[in-house]
Amino acid sequence: GQGAWSVVFDLLDTAFLALYTVEALLKAYADPLGYWQRGLDRFDLFVLLTAYVRRVLMLTTPEQLTLLRVLGALRSLRAARFISFSRQLQVI
């Protein structure tokens, strides 16, 4: 039912959050100065931080629905970032 899909989406969300976190850490490790100079990397970090804030708020204060919805909308920025990344791959 609907509960099963919720679990699937939560698992996928966690997997992608972990993947993007590892990517950000590797980029920052490989080129610490360049990481902070590239706008796309700073944008990725902003999206990651909002995702973590949303996750913490969901665990601690689920009654803050308005804030959670705003942070959820910001999470959709990851999709825009992925589309940008896909276009970069197409160029290669």
Side-chain angles (χ1 to χ4, degrees):
Q2 192 175 16
W5 283 110
S6 178
V7 171
V8 169
F9 286 127
D10 284 343
L11 288 172
L12 287 171
D13 186 53
T14 301
F16 279 106
L17 184 59
L19 181 69
Y20 284 129
T21 300
V22 169
E23 177 195 27
L25 291 172
L26 288 174
K27 283 181 165 184
Y29 177 77
D31 186 12
L33 294 176
Y35 182 79
W36 297 107
Q37 293 173 350
R38 288 185 292 273
L40 189 58
D41 289 335
R42 289 192 310 260
F43 173 76
D44 287 347
L45 184 62
F46 171 75
V47 172
L48 276 175
L49 291 176
T50 58
Y52 279 109
V53 167
R54 182 179 186 275
R55 188 168 287 261
V56 168
L57 286 175
M58 283 176 50
L59 294 173
T60 58
T61 56
E63 63 276 356
Q64 297 291 331
L65 288 178
T66 303
L67 181 58
L68 289 173
R69 286 186 182 133
V70 169
L71 291 173
L74 288 173
R75 210 174 50 165
S76 66
L77 294 174
R78 276 193 283 177
R81 185 235 179 247
F82 181 74
I83 291 167
S84 171
F85 180 72
S86 297
R87 288 185 184 150
Q88 288 175 354
L89 287 179
Q90 289 174 358
V91 170
I92 295 173

